[in-house]
Amino acid sequence: MRTLVIVGSQWGDEGKGKVTDYLAQEADVVVRSQGGNNAGHTILFDGNKFALRSIPSGIFNPNIKNIMANGMVIDPKQMLEELHGLEARGIKKYQLFVSNRAHIVLPYHSALDGAYEQFKEDKKIGTTKRGIGPTYADKANRIGIRMGEFIQPELFKEQLKTVLKIKNMELQMLGLEPFDFDAIYTEYSKYAEEIKPFVCDTAELLEEEILKNSKVLFEGAQGVMLCLDHGTYPYVTSSSPTGASVPLNSGIAPRYIQDVLGICKAYTTRVGEGPFPTELDGELAHYIRERGHEYGTVTQRPRRVGYLDCVALNYARRISGINHLALMLFDVLSGLDTIKICYAYELDGKIIHTIPATTYDYSRVKPLYIEMPGWKEDITSVTSFDELPIQAQNYIRKVEELTKIKVSLFSVGPDRKQTIVLEELFK
Ligand code: GDP
Ligand code: IMO
Ligand code: MG
């Protein structure tokens, strides 16, 4: 296997950063192809913890080419803060390439993100307020600014003048303060100058690497259930985190994509609003949230937690072509007497095995569960499947049976070392 897509198979925060970093030990190239700094990917090795937002998780390995591809929306100020933060912690030798076709996030995007949320009142999405939706909207509306223009002062000036006129009208219509052209231009020109050396045609570079037989990891952000097309619309993000979006968002042919590793927690979490059939509350939710430190990497919001939902996982398998599964945060489930897994939903008296298209229907489904015996043992230091308590082994086998996907690795703690590979994916 030379190309591997890493896809979040739930509602994000499944541990994509940890798995990317782990597999990046064997990779030549790591690509982020969609999303922006709404993502928060946590990585832990040698006692160091990093939370990456828009920089690919291969950045710690100086031999890896890290690509921020055309499908990303990049906040230049935040990207530089992130890079400087890494440099301050000793990550000074890295290879980074930024697509000249990626769109940039400007301050008016974040202001509009906040305003839309405010006006939606009880229908708010619970976005990260990083301007992601408004930036993708401008891209589709053809009033976005791309890296290629951004790094050329005259082109940036011309484009910003036109666009800011329109955006300021929109801001004022919503009762917000307009932005000053000179202030944005002066501040952001400095960022553009600093980012310029990284900017190139990353699609061309990527094809060259693939034709050289390099090993390429595509690091998904968000998760399939947050997909703009196939997720729980409108409670989704504004890009597609599916395997299918990878070729388009990185500029390569679909035939280069071979395998898709779905990352899933041993349970389910969701940040932000929207239906969540297996959601728990009370003591059990508290137990899982505290053991899993389920607080958002980007916004610090407590994550909503629930049982594992195999209807959602099956859906992600179908939509994204997932053919391997990484079962994460398995250690969190230790200590429970029994554990439930959702295998189907009931809607209006009928059993269904897929995700209804409307929020109206999806918020009315009742999850149907199987209940399995739990285990009391701490599993954070196991190094093989056989060392797991029999109940934990049975849990993995049941997940495979219900999702029809082989569990190729499982994880028993946040550290790089706490990763147990059952099937080599990327050697
Ligand atoms: P991502 O957005 O998919 O990269 O996931 P996040 O980094 O936002 O959230 C996953 C969280 O779980 C992070 O805090 C990780 O350090 C942590 N984590 C990853 N794998 C494990 C695991 O197996 N066990 C435990 N306890 N924590 C894990
Ligand atoms: P990673 O890559 C979890 C959620 C937000 C909100 C919705 C829309 O770390 O898994 P947006 O700011 O994108 O317009 O917000 O999507 N969301 C995520 N939830 N993990 C993420 O990324 C997310 N990125 C966006 O909470 O519900
Ligand atoms: Mg995250």
Side-chain angles (χ1 to χ4, degrees):
M1 191 185 300
R2 310 300 295 187
T3 60
L4 179 66
V5 171
I6 290 175
V7 150
S9 60
Q10 297 163 316
W11 279 276
D13 300 327
E14 298 92 346
K16 298 175 292 295
K18 172 177 167 168
V19 175
T20 306
D21 167 70
Y22 180 82
L23 294 174
Q25 298 172 85
E26 297 289 332
D28 302 301
V29 183
V30 175
V31 185
R32 268 282 307 268
S33 63
Q34 43 73 226
N37 64 352
N38 48 349
H41 294 182
T42 319
I43 288 153
L44 186 72
F45 58 89
D46 300 338
N48 296 305
K49 186 173 169 178
F50 295 92
L52 296 176
R53 306 272 301 281
S54 52
I55 305 288
S57 298
I59 201 74
F60 308 103
N61 182 339
N63 301 319
I64 288 184
K65 294 190 169 71
N66 289 278
I67 293 181
M68 297 169 74
N70 57 283
M72 284 192 77
V73 289
I74 300 170
D75 179 330
K77 183 179 184 174
Q78 184 279 325
M79 176 196 151
L80 288 171
E81 275 169 15
E82 196 174 336
L83 267 189
H84 296 158
L86 287 168
E87 285 163 7
R89 293 181 64 187
I91 315 299
K92 292 192 172 124
K93 274 193 173 172
Y94 54 79
Q95 300 183 60
L96 185 64
F97 303 87
V98 178
S99 169
N100 47 13
R101 290 179 173 82
H103 279 250
I104 63 162
V105 183
L106 286 164
Y108 50 79
H109 292 121
S110 318
L112 286 169
D113 197 350
Y116 284 127
E117 282 289 89
Q118 194 190 330
F119 289 120
K120 280 182 192 155
E121 295 174 354
D122 64 335
K123 294 271 193 300
K124 73 176 188 330
I125 296 165
T127 74
T128 57
K129 299 202 180 133
R130 297 303 191 269
I132 305 297
T135 308
Y136 278 117
D138 280 2
K139 171 179 175 176
N141 209 12
R142 291 145 301 169
I143 50 169
I145 300 180
R146 307 205 296 183
M147 275 294 170
E149 285 102 44
F150 180 53
I151 57 165
Q152 300 190 54
E154 284 313 310
L155 296 184
F156 177 41
K157 187 188 268 178
E158 202 180 309
Q159 182 74 349
L160 182 65
K161 259 196 187 132
T162 312
V163 172
L164 196 60
K165 218 174 359 173
I166 301 169
K167 300 317 284 187
N168 275 343
M169 283 193 277
E170 192 180 346
L171 287 160
Q172 283 167 304
M173 218 165 61
L174 294 169
L176 300 177
E177 284 297 311
F179 281 87
D180 178 56
F181 171 83
D182 289 328
I184 297 189
Y185 183 71
T186 311
E187 180 183 354
Y188 279 74
S189 292
K190 285 191 210 123
Y191 305 145
E193 212 178 296
E194 207 178 330
I195 291 174
K196 192 172 179 174
F198 301 116
V199 178
C200 65
D201 186 335
T202 54
E204 192 180 23
L205 169 69
L206 193 50
E207 194 190 40
E208 272 168 27
E209 289 293 329
I210 290 172
L211 295 177
K212 268 196 331 210
N213 233 4
S214 297
K215 288 186 188 170
V216 184
L217 265 184
F218 293 91
E219 176 182 11
Q222 291 81 50
V224 174
M225 299 301 284
L226 289 170
C227 171
L228 180 60
D229 280 75
H230 298 287
T232 48
Y233 191 89
Y235 298 99
V236 293
T237 189
S238 297
S239 66
S240 174
T242 64
S245 86
V246 167
L248 177 70
N249 286 325
S250 59
I252 56 157
R255 69 173 185 279
Y256 291 135
I257 303 300
Q258 297 172 332
D259 289 278
V260 182
L261 174 64
I263 315 299
C264 78
K265 283 182 171 157
Y267 47 97
T268 313
T269 62
R270 175 164 204 176
V271 223
E273 307 302 319
F276 182 0
T278 63
E279 184 166 15
L280 291 164
D281 57 14
E283 238 172 74
L284 188 48
H286 180 75
Y287 182 80
I288 295 175
R289 184 175 299 116
E290 294 310 311
R291 283 181 61 84
H293 306 290
E294 294 295 358
Y295 295 87
T297 318
V298 178
T299 55
Q300 309 307 318
R301 287 177 288 179
R303 293 178 184 144
R304 300 159 67 192
V305 301
Y307 285 124
L308 188 68
D309 183 341
C310 286
V311 181
L313 283 181
N314 255 306
Y315 184 77
R317 174 188 56 73
R318 175 158 62 78
I319 297 293
S320 249
I322 296 171
N323 58 349
H324 301 271
L325 211 54
L327 193 71
M328 311 299 290
L329 292 105
F330 200 25
D331 52 302
V332 173
L333 294 185
S334 289
L336 299 175
D337 292 330
T338 61
I339 309 170
K340 290 183 183 174
I341 306 181
C342 168
Y343 67 92
Y345 302 143
E346 191 186 315
L347 178 64
D348 297 330
K350 284 196 195 115
I351 309 282
I352 60 167
H353 294 275
T354 189
I355 309 294
T358 64
T359 302
Y360 174 70
D361 281 340
Y362 198 32
S363 52
R364 292 184 304 119
V365 303
K366 277 200 228 103
L368 302 178
Y369 291 111
I370 54 159
E371 193 158 3
M372 302 190 64
W375 59 92
K376 298 289 177 200
E377 295 87 338
D378 175 354
I379 59 169
T380 52
S381 46
V382 306
T383 55
S384 70
F385 183 83
D386 295 340
E387 283 171 51
L388 286 172
I390 188 73
Q391 299 88 335
Q393 294 185 7
N394 290 340
Y395 190 86
I396 292 186
R397 294 299 174 229
K398 185 55 81 178
V399 172
E400 291 182 322
E401 181 192 320
L402 293 174
T403 59
K404 304 185 229 38
I405 321 169
K406 189 168 170 16
V407 172
S408 295
L409 71 84
F410 67 91
S411 168
V412 293
D415 196 275
R416 201 187 262 173
K417 288 197 194 110
Q418 291 168 300
T419 314
I420 295 95
V421 174
L422 302 176
E423 182 189 16
E424 287 297 347
L425 291 170
F426 211 51
K427 280 271 182 208

